[in-house]
Amino acid sequence: MSESIGGDAPTAAADPGGDGFDEAFALADPIGGWLTRDQARALWDAAADLPPGAHVVEIGSHQGRSTVVLARALARSGGRLTAVDAFVDGPRYGGTATRDVLAAHLEQAGVTAVVDVVAARSQDVRSRWSEPIDLLWVDGKHDYWTCSDDLRWSEHLPPHGRCLVHDAFSSIGVTTSLLVHVLPSRRLRLTGRVGSLALLEVASPSGADRRRLVAQLPWWLRNVGLKVLLRLRLGAVARRLGHVGPFDPY
Ligand SMILES: C[S@@+](CC[C@H](N)C(=O)[O-])C[C@H]1O[C@@H](n2cnc3c(N)ncnc32)[C@H](O)[C@@H]1O
């Protein structure tokens, strides 16, 4: 099991005069999870860019680290967030008790009214979903099949709509899914990444976009190798390869 990187005391203060991100991240950072500050910033920017009343779908909320960031951004423009999580049992995700923890974190962040928590498997919710959405955040189950299904939520995005995918270049299942479904796609292109968070856009990809995706593969292999080393308690070797800290590369 990889450890979450949040859960300590808040590290960022309110930002009078700022755009609200620092304040949102100060609320999110104590919440356990795997989202880095830069990745939270990418989520914030994508949500803050949306028109008033926008509807965002999050797949995989856990205790609310990313949920709080998205919801705080959406609250500024009357948007709403559908947060889908199966609240999977086990030590990693904590099962149904995590739903109560999430609810408490949303309350603390003042965003309960912005977020509709749907406690179900993303595949089951998607199969009956018909509404347009404005932004998609994929951070649910990381196996190939689930991630491939989760990418299909992007069919509800408008042209130039954005889809952000966590662990896109640090997980075998997620990366394989991107290689199978995004690399040959005529509708989704990779515009960049923040750590292992992929930034996708609904647009016809150019050759350069496809090469950009392939160019991430050496970095992905390195990350998978680092995760193996960390599982084998070979952190010293990982450090020699340039990995900083005890956590998985995100
Ligand atoms: C990596 S965590 C999400 C982390 C969260 N985005 C954050 O920033 O802290 C993955 C979540 O996906 C949920 N999950 C696993 N399988 C799922 C599925 N089939 N559908 C929806 N959620 C699922 C787990 O319960 C877990 O809470």
Side-chain angles (χ1 to χ4, degrees):
M1 169 183 151
S2 58
E3 292 168 71
S4 64
I5 57 180
D8 297 328
T11 54
D15 58 336
D19 67 356
F21 171 73
D22 286 348
E23 201 176 343
F25 194 69
L27 290 161
D29 198 25
I31 300 172
W34 299 267
L35 191 77
T36 68
R37 182 186 174 89
D38 288 348
Q39 292 168 346
R41 178 86 232 185
L43 281 184
W44 174 276
D45 288 345
D49 227 21
L50 296 172
H55 187 179
V56 175
V57 167
E58 168 180 84
I59 298 168
S61 307
H62 190 48
Q63 297 184 1
R65 190 172 171 89
S66 55
T67 323
V68 161
V69 172
L70 284 170
R72 293 282 299 196
L74 290 168
R76 297 161 73 92
S77 58
R80 65 201 168 102
L81 175 64
T82 296
V84 182
D85 199 298
F87 298 108
V88 167
D89 280 329
R92 184 173 175 88
Y93 295 133
T96 48
T98 301
R99 185 178 178 171
D100 297 333
V101 176
L102 171 65
H105 288 152
L106 298 181
E107 177 83 33
Q108 275 161 23
V111 291
T112 301
V114 179
V115 185
D116 179 21
V117 177
V118 179
R121 293 183 343 134
S122 53
Q123 307 95 303
D124 298 336
V125 183
R126 189 194 63 75
S127 65
R128 9 175 236 275
W129 189 271
S130 56
E131 277 182 66
I133 61 175
D134 299 292
L135 174 68
L136 173 62
W137 165 230
V138 177
D139 193 15
K141 194 172 181 186
H142 287 7
D143 69 299
Y144 167 79
W145 294 273
T146 310
C147 184
S148 299
D149 197 278
D150 289 347
L151 286 173
R152 290 192 59 192
W153 280 85
S154 66
E155 293 164 13
H156 298 285
L157 288 168
H160 303 292
R162 279 182 274 183
C163 166
L164 280 61
V165 183
H166 204 227
D167 294 312
F169 303 110
S170 56
S171 151
I172 291 174
V174 179
T175 310
T176 309
S177 178
L178 291 185
L179 289 175
V180 171
H181 300 291
V182 177
L183 188 57
S185 169
R186 295 183 178 183
R187 192 177 168 269
L188 281 177
R189 73 185 194 101
L190 177 76
T191 60
R193 65 169 172 85
V194 180
S196 73
L197 183 157
L199 304 165
L200 305 178
E201 181 192 10
V202 177
S204 177
S206 64
D209 293 329
R210 294 187 208 280
R211 285 193 293 279
R212 184 176 302 119
L213 178 44
V214 173
Q216 310 310 316
L217 296 183
W219 192 70
W220 164 65
L221 281 173
R222 170 191 179 273
N223 288 338
V224 172
L226 288 172
K227 284 169 86 168
V228 171
L229 289 173
L230 293 172
R231 297 296 176 283
L232 295 173
R233 301 183 185 281
L234 293 172
V237 182
R239 273 195 299 284
R240 252 180 267 140
L241 294 172
H243 182 63
V244 180
F247 305 123
D248 282 351
Y250 297 109

